[in-house]
Amino acid sequence: MRTQEIIVKARRPNPRLVKIHRNYTVEEIAKLFGIHKNTVRAWIKTGLPLCDDKRPVLILGRELAAFLQAKRGNSKQPCQAGEMYCLRCRSPQKPAANMVDYQPSNDKMGNLIGLCSCCEAVMNRRVSLAKIPLIKGEMEITFPQAEKHIGDSNQPSLNSDLRGVS
Ligand SMILES: [Zn+2]
C-alpha cells in the first residue's frame, strides 16, 4: 500500500503542499511528498537551490515551491511545432532565426539545439528522428553528416572495385 502511495505522489509533487515561509531539510521534503530522499537529492542536482552550505542542508520553502512549479510548468506547456523549451525563460520559445542543429545520440534519437530567440540561452529538445517532421514547424534543421548516410551508404555498391575507394 505504501509503495502505491509513493508512486502516485512522486509523479507530481504538489507545490501547494509547501509552506513558503519555512525551511525544509531533505528528509522533511521527502516526508512531505512521500518520496525517496534520493529524489530530493536529484532535484538539488538539477537546480533546486539550497539556503546555504551548512549541514543539514536546508531548502527555502519559497524556492522549493518555485522549483516544483517550474517542473510542472515544464510538462504543462508542451512545445508546439517549431518551438523548444527554454529553461531560462521557463517557457517554450522559438529558436533564434529558426535555426537549429540536430545532434544524433543514436540512430533513432537526438537533440535539437538552438538559441532562445528571447534570451539567447541554449535550448535543447530531445526528439526521435521519426518525429522531426511533426515538430519541425518553421525550424531549419541542420543535420551533421547524417544525410550522407541516408543517401549514399544504404546500398553499398558491391559491384564497384573495392580498391577503387582510395
Ligand atoms: Zn529564453
Side-chain angles (χ1 to χ4, degrees):
M1 190 179 101
R2 201 182 142 80
T3 350
Q4 252 179 358
E5 190 186 36
I6 287 173
I7 291 166
V8 171
K9 280 187 180 172
R11 286 228 173 115
R12 277 184 178 238
N14 186 351
R16 284 186 196 156
L17 291 175
V18 179
K19 295 191 174 64
I20 58 170
H21 292 299
R22 60 161 288 189
N23 298 332
Y24 290 86
T25 62
V26 169
E27 285 77 11
E28 285 168 339
I29 295 172
K31 217 178 260 179
L32 180 66
F33 297 120
I35 57 178
H36 199 276
K37 278 185 277 182
N38 283 347
T39 307
V40 182
R41 292 192 182 111
W43 291 350
I44 293 169
K45 273 191 192 145
T46 58
L48 175 62
L50 302 176
C51 250
D52 50 39
D53 49 11
K54 290 196 190 110
R55 301 270 158 178
V57 159
L58 285 179
I59 292 114
L60 280 176
R62 179 161 37 85
E63 302 275 20
L64 177 60
F67 178 82
L68 293 176
Q69 228 128 31
K71 259 172 100 73
R72 287 190 141 194
N74 204 334
S75 54
K76 248 188 199 169
Q77 290 181 288
C79 297
Q80 304 290 312
E83 290 180 341
M84 296 165 77
Y85 192 83
C86 176
L87 288 173
R88 200 189 282 170
C89 295
R90 292 185 172 176
S91 61
Q93 297 287 349
K94 291 196 169 211
N98 282 323
M99 301 283 285
V100 293
D101 288 322
Y102 179 75
Q103 208 171 62
S105 354
N106 56 43
D107 305 358
K108 293 188 179 123
M109 297 290 300
N111 274 308
L112 292 178
I113 300 163
L115 295 181
C116 175
S117 55
C118 182
C119 73
E120 295 189 331
V122 176
M123 303 189 292
N124 281 282
R125 182 168 181 182
R126 194 154 172 75
V127 289
S128 70
L129 256 184
K131 282 194 178 156
I132 283 184
L134 295 175
I135 59 124
K136 192 171 175 289
E138 293 167 24
M139 294 190 288
E140 295 275 342
I141 303 173
T142 309
F143 294 88
Q145 308 291 327
E147 309 247 357
K148 256 192 202 165
H149 285 282
I150 294 162
D152 301 336
S153 55
N154 264 353
Q155 295 181 321
S157 44
L158 295 172
N159 293 336
S160 64
D161 186 354
L162 283 173
R163 280 173 299 175
V165 174
S166 67

